[in-house]
Amino acid sequence: MTELDIQESLFDRFKSLNEFSGVPFLAADDDGNYLNVSFPNVPFEAPGDKRWFELTFRSNEPEAAALMHDAQERFTGVLYIDIITPTDAGEDEAREKFRWIARLFRRGTYFDDVCINKCYVSTKGAEADHYRLQAAVEWDADIDIE
């Protein structure tokens, strides 16, 4: 496992948002391609209704999780989930989406060797043609050296 596998696990967790919440926040076409989620380095065209999510994965330099030469590596990082809504539409929609994301990535949640440490609003505000509320999901994972 590498930090790229951690990214995939976090993205997969995010993709379960509809099932988790019971609300169709994420839209996909018949082939399973997401229509309102921008993934890193994947072509994306912003929807005309100005409602989408942007995912950004950041990991820090790993550290040894123990003193042995074959000890696992401890990775830490942040998954940023930008919630985009129309300008001048208020914060209610973005807040509701954030509430479900915060529940999905609740502190202490553990999956695929990834532990969620906290989820919080890291920034918010209007941009040129939309409003952005950014959720920060801090995580860590102890993984075997490949």
Side-chain angles (χ1 to χ4, degrees):
M1 181 179 244
T2 69
E3 60 264 48
L4 298 176
D5 299 307
I6 296 168
Q7 173 183 287
E8 185 176 343
S9 292
L10 288 163
F11 286 4
D12 286 346
R13 179 80 177 178
F14 174 77
K15 290 175 188 176
S16 74
L17 182 61
N18 287 358
E19 294 77 27
F20 181 80
S21 68
V23 181
F25 292 126
L26 310 181
D29 63 19
D30 293 336
D31 295 325
N33 299 311
Y34 288 91
L35 303 173
N36 65 342
V37 181
S38 175
F39 294 97
N41 203 30
V42 175
F44 178 76
E45 187 173 324
D49 68 358
K50 305 290 185 208
R51 289 175 169 88
W52 74 90
F53 299 90
E54 292 179 11
L55 303 185
T56 305
F57 175 84
R58 300 279 186 252
S59 66
N60 297 313
E61 184 177 338
E63 297 181 7
L67 296 176
M68 301 171 293
H69 76 282
D70 60 348
Q72 290 183 316
E73 301 245 79
R74 174 159 297 146
F75 284 85
T76 60
V78 179
L79 170 64
Y80 293 107
I81 303 170
D82 293 292
I83 303 164
I84 310 301
T85 57
T87 305
D88 298 330
E91 284 191 330
D92 290 347
E93 180 182 344
R95 285 180 186 177
E96 184 63 14
K97 290 175 179 177
F98 172 75
R99 283 185 183 101
W100 281 108
I101 289 168
R103 291 175 187 133
L104 182 65
F105 292 101
R106 185 181 309 267
R107 179 177 44 88
T109 301
Y110 186 83
F111 54 92
D112 300 336
D113 296 323
V114 178
C115 181
I116 303 303
N117 296 321
K118 61 179 99 170
C119 179
Y120 55 94
V121 174
S122 62
T123 189
K124 62 181 183 160
E127 297 189 4
D129 66 343
H130 59 268
Y131 182 82
R132 178 183 307 266
L133 185 149
Q134 185 178 71
V137 179
E138 292 188 16
W139 57 268
D140 67 56
D142 291 347
I143 59 177
D144 293 330
I145 298 172
E146 287 196 353

